[in-house]
């Protein structure tokens, strides 16, 4: 049976371990949200989800995004806005699952322990994000692989569904009769 003295000692030891681990983790500062270059109405994504998706898209779309800094930021913003549009178009249950995934990745502690990204998303290096994506892509856990696939499909659908991306891959767009059909 646990005595009162043992309970107090255990509680104090636990508090000391938590305090020391917090000091070792480093100073606390909130993640800076992804700054939107111009006002847009995001339908689904909150600031933390936009920040995480911007960092992930930056790595997933490396080589596809423009090299010029101003064009790069505009294209990255378009990709994040496209992700928001793609998520908003999903069925409600799937949309909720994607939002839960992004909430998991946006949390300071879950980003560190589940994704393995120790820095805030806007400060994380490309190598650190690429390592996280690779671990999830080739994980032995189906849940992590599914999370990677969801991120991959959303980011790529958002980018390659954008006419700005078509020039880089030599796609001239849908045929005229299809354009007229969809925009009638």
């Amino acid at each position: 049976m646990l005595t009162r003295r043992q309970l107090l000692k255990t509680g104090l030891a636990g508090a000391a371990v938590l305090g020391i681990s917090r000091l070792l983790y480093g100073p606390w500062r909130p993640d800076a949200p992804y700054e939107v270059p111009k006002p847009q109405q995001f339908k689904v994504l909150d600031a933390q989800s936009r920040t995480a998706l911007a960092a992930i898209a930056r790595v997933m779309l490396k080589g596809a995004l423009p090299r010029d800094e101003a064009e790069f930021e505009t294209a990255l913003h378009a990709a994040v806005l496209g992700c928001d549009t793609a998520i908003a178009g999903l069925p409600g249950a799937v949309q909720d699952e994607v939002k839960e995934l992004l909430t998991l990745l946006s949390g300071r502690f879950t980003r560190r322990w589940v994704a393995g990204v120790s820095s805030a998303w806007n400060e994380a290096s490309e190598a650190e994000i690429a390592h996280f994506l690779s671990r999830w892509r080739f994980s032995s856990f189906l849940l992590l692989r599914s999370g990677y696939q969801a991120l991959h499909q959303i980011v790529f659908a958002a980018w390659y569904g954008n006419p700005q991306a078509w020039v880089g891959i030599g796609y001239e767009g849908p045929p005229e009769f299809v354009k007229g059909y969809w925009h009638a």
Side-chain angles (χ1 to χ4, degrees):
M1 178 154 186
L2 187 64
T3 67
R4 187 173 130 207
R5 182 171 296 209
Q6 290 171 325
L7 178 67
L8 289 173
K9 284 182 181 179
T10 304
L12 287 173
V17 167
L18 286 174
I20 290 170
S21 64
R22 178 64 190 107
L23 289 173
L24 293 175
Y25 184 71
W28 181 83
R29 61 181 189 265
D31 291 352
Y34 173 66
E35 296 298 325
V36 179
K38 54 187 173 185
Q40 292 284 344
Q41 290 82 7
F42 283 91
K43 300 171 192 119
V44 180
L45 298 175
D46 59 12
Q48 291 80 19
S49 297
R50 291 193 304 264
T51 302
L53 270 175
I56 291 167
R58 177 174 41 109
V59 172
M60 282 188 166
L61 297 173
K62 187 175 182 172
L65 294 171
R67 287 191 169 83
D68 178 66
E69 189 173 332
E71 290 178 15
F72 177 87
E73 288 301 321
T74 303
L76 185 60
H77 172 69
V80 173
L81 187 60
C83 288
D84 181 72
T85 302
I87 295 167
L90 295 171
V94 178
Q95 195 177 109
D96 289 342
E97 288 180 4
V98 171
K99 287 195 274 187
E100 286 176 12
L101 171 63
L102 292 171
T103 299
L104 176 83
L105 292 174
S106 298
R108 197 177 61 178
F109 295 112
T110 52
R111 180 192 68 238
R112 170 73 174 106
W113 299 110
V114 176
V117 177
S118 58
S119 305
W121 283 112
N122 57 337
E123 297 173 359
S125 69
E126 286 185 13
E128 191 174 21
I129 296 169
H131 180 68
F132 142 67
L133 291 170
S134 179
R135 279 188 322 107
W136 276 34
R137 181 179 184 187
F138 299 110
S139 175
S140 58
F141 296 108
L142 178 61
L143 189 61
L144 296 181
R145 288 194 317 266
S146 297
Y148 169 82
Q149 286 300 323
L151 292 170
H152 182 269
Q153 289 174 3
I154 289 167
V155 168
F156 276 73
W159 176 246
Y160 289 107
N162 179 355
Q164 182 181 359
W166 298 349
V167 174
I169 58 173
Y171 180 59
E172 297 174 10
E176 286 300 319
F177 71 90
V178 173
K179 283 183 186 176
Y181 176 77
W182 289 107
H183 296 290

